Amino acid sequence: MSKYQVVNPANGELVEEFPTATDDQIKDALSRSHSEFSSWRATPVEERTKALAKVAEIYSERAEELAEIIKLEMGKAVPEGKGEVALCSLIFKYFADNAQAFIEDEPLRGPKNADAFLLRKPVGSILGIMPWNFPYYQVARFAAPNLALGNTILLKHAPQCPRSAQAIEEIFHEAGVPQDAYINIYATNEQISDIILPDPRNQGVSLTGSERAGASVAAEAGKNLKKVVLELGGSDPYVVLDSEDVAKTAETLFKTRMGNTGQACNSPKRMIVMDDIYDDFVSSITEAAKATAPADPYADPEGLSPLSSVAAKDRFVEQVEDTVSEGATLLAGGQAYDGPGAYVQPVVLTDVKPGMRGYYEELFGPAVIVYKVSSDEEAVELANDTPFGLGSAVFSTDLERADRVGSQIDSGMVFLNGPEQTREFLPFGGVKRSGVGRELGPLAMDEFCNKQLYYKNR
């Protein structure tokens, strides 16, 4: 059974526990969500988007408070937390401003004696299962387009994020979203699989999380013929073909990797570097890792924050130790810091080979793996040698060269000459074991949508 608890990752102390929902409460929430759908879908889109615009305003107004909540829940430093809240405001405003255009009837070319259109309609009550690493942002990119479209939502957040889950629900209702159009549920995994997904009133599920969780939920959804959107793991390659300032490039990529203490699906987990600049790159990034010290997110919000939990720390250290025992070279870090909490040393690994744990598994923490290649072709082959396919980036002073390499990478997102960006207007999602479906941008409202063919004979 999932326990909804706030445990401070900086010291491991239990702060608060929330009661898990009963089966009857879950059934009641599903019934209310389903019943509200007929009313919410009939609400003019102008009113639905007005509520989303108000959500954006409230997020901005409560940024400090919201950032403090997730600092306590999962260890995110306040500046990063406020940045996440600001992104949420942009997402809600984006769909408030553009939802009407996104659901306009789309004419289809056909015979002159007929009119054919695609109509975009909501489908009903849908379930969101969200992770702990970006407690507000992950919900925003799921909820904003679906509420704008006219779907209703049941939201199961990560068990370690009950306070932020509660705050999100409060904000929606304060902004004018009906009580039953967005319902937070402290559900167990068993209640998801045994009650919600088999129920015909549920019309689909969106999950952001691990491969294991995605596979489990997708299996249950498939058994019940429900639509799924899955945003799972990533092992994003950053290919450095050349650089006018190797040390600066290394610094930029290291800072990107350390964002959210390395706990991001689209973080640059594999750095693939040309042999003529490899030594300088590795030296610079190793120096940066050794100079990075842990910091209490309460006292020093600019330093290295803890991982989200002691369990996450233990798994991360185990992955690194196993990879080193299999023959990889450890240049920095590799251990947890002494004392309470979930702090780990930033890691730099080289000589990671196929068959090693760190080669194919996602290291969800502050770990940099650097690979040396001697040609563009070898760089592409290595970049694609992964079960994941979320994001990627290519760096070169020759943009045409970067373009040639980037166009051959099998991923849902490619960025040239800059780290990956998460923006409200950029579709987010991957291929292979990174999941299915897209969130954000103009594609987001098409996922849980009845794209209905409407054909008129003249």
Side-chain angles (χ1 to χ4, degrees):
M1 176 180 289
S2 303
K3 287 188 176 181
Y4 286 83
Q5 298 177 328
V6 178
V7 178
N8 185 350
N11 56 29
E13 293 180 358
L14 174 64
V15 177
E16 185 177 10
E17 189 165 357
F18 287 65
T20 303
T22 65
D23 289 356
D24 285 343
Q25 287 173 326
I26 295 298
K27 292 173 184 177
D28 178 65
L30 180 55
S31 178
R32 290 188 288 119
S33 181
H34 173 72
S35 297
E36 178 62 35
F37 172 62
S38 59
S39 175
W40 183 241
R41 74 179 300 184
T43 301
V45 65
E46 295 85 2
E47 292 186 30
R48 298 198 299 263
T49 55
K50 182 179 178 181
L52 293 186
K54 183 62 176 177
V55 170
E57 292 178 10
I58 297 172
Y59 265 89
S60 295
E61 293 165 359
R62 296 177 60 179
E64 188 79 32
E65 170 202 346
L66 296 174
E68 290 286 343
I69 291 174
I70 59 175
K71 177 178 69 176
L72 185 62
E73 287 182 328
M74 49 75 64
K76 184 169 297 193
V78 168
E80 282 193 287
K82 291 171 71 173
E84 179 179 337
V85 172
L87 177 57
C88 291
S89 293
L90 292 174
I91 291 170
F92 286 111
K93 188 174 188 309
Y94 174 80
F95 286 103
D97 291 344
N98 294 287
Q100 178 69 68
F102 290 159
I103 60 175
E104 289 289 341
D105 296 349
E106 180 181 343
L108 304 174
R109 293 187 179 184
K112 293 184 179 180
N113 63 341
D115 294 323
F117 300 88
L118 279 183
L119 310 185
R120 287 175 167 81
K121 297 182 176 181
V123 295
S125 173
I126 54 178
L127 170 68
I129 302 175
M130 297 294 120
W132 48 261
N133 57 335
F134 292 93
Y136 302 119
Y137 158 67
Q138 304 282 10
V139 174
R141 71 186 195 187
F142 162 68
N146 283 295
L147 288 172
L149 180 61
N151 292 319
T152 56
I153 289 173
L154 296 178
L155 200 291
K156 178 201 178 302
H157 218 314
Q160 71 192 79
C161 296
R163 281 190 181 179
S164 52
Q166 186 179 66
I168 292 166
E169 183 183 50
E170 291 171 354
I171 289 171
F172 277 122
H173 297 164
E174 181 184 342
V177 175
Q179 295 281 326
D180 293 339
Y182 182 96
I183 304 174
N184 175 59
I185 51 174
Y186 295 133
T188 67
N189 294 336
E190 291 75 21
Q191 289 168 336
I192 297 300
S193 60
D194 296 344
I195 299 176
I196 297 179
L197 291 181
D199 195 301
R201 293 172 295 183
N202 167 260
Q203 299 301 318
V205 55
S206 177
L207 176 141
T208 298
S210 67
E211 288 179 85
R212 181 179 58 82
S216 176
V217 167
E220 291 297 325
K223 185 169 66 176
N224 292 286
L225 301 180
K226 302 294 176 69
K227 168 70 183 287
V228 297
V229 169
L230 302 173
E231 198 278 280
L232 308 178
S235 188
D236 292 10
Y238 273 32
V239 180
V240 184
L241 301 173
D242 56 68
S243 173
E244 292 180 343
D245 189 334
V246 176
K248 184 177 180 179
T249 299
E251 179 185 5
T252 298
L253 269 58
F254 180 77
K255 287 183 177 179
T256 303
R257 181 67 179 106
M258 292 301 110
N260 207 38
T261 321
Q263 301 169 116
C265 298
N266 61 331
S267 184
K269 301 183 179 78
R270 296 181 299 140
M271 301 187 187
I272 300 169
V273 183
M274 280 294 164
D275 52 6
D276 59 334
I277 60 173
Y278 174 85
D279 289 343
D280 289 343
F281 184 93
V282 169
S283 176
S284 295
I285 214 160
T286 301
E287 182 180 332
K290 290 180 177 179
T292 302
D296 185 340
Y298 290 86
D300 181 8
E302 300 298 332
L304 184 70
S305 298
L307 291 182
S308 62
S309 66
V310 172
K313 173 196 70 175
D314 292 343
R315 172 175 167 77
F316 176 79
V317 171
E318 177 188 282
Q319 286 177 300
V320 172
E321 289 179 342
D322 286 353
T323 303
V324 173
S325 71
E326 292 160 350
T329 301
L330 180 68
L331 298 178
Q335 297 295 320
Y337 286 101
D338 292 336
Y343 290 94
V344 294
Q345 301 168 350
V347 170
V348 177
L349 290 168
T350 60
D351 303 312
V352 176
K353 308 292 184 185
M356 295 180 183
R357 189 172 180 185
Y359 189 85
Y360 286 121
E361 287 188 16
E362 179 182 27
L363 299 184
F364 216 59
V368 174
I369 301 178
V370 190
Y371 297 88
K372 178 165 61 175
V373 293
S374 57
S375 69
D376 293 6
E377 293 75 19
E378 186 181 0
V380 170
E381 182 179 2
L382 182 55
N384 289 334
D385 188 18
T386 172
F388 299 105
L390 188 54
S392 58
V394 181
F395 297 80
S396 176
T397 56
D398 181 345
L399 185 57
E400 290 186 3
R401 183 186 182 192
D403 197 16
R404 285 195 303 272
V405 170
S407 65
Q408 298 177 69
I409 295 178
D410 300 326
S411 64
M413 303 173 285
V414 179
F415 293 78
L416 303 184
N417 286 337
E420 295 180 54
Q421 298 182 51
T422 300
R423 297 293 304 276
E424 68 280 5
F425 58 88
L426 299 177
F428 188 103
V431 295
K432 299 191 280 188
R433 295 186 70 85
S434 287
V436 294
R438 292 293 182 270
E439 296 179 307
L440 300 180
L443 304 182
M445 289 181 68
D446 277 354
E447 292 294 347
F448 294 99
C449 173
N450 175 14
K451 293 179 279 291
Q452 184 183 60
L453 170 64
Y454 206 79
Y455 192 96
K456 301 179 184 179
N457 284 303
R458 292 184 196 173

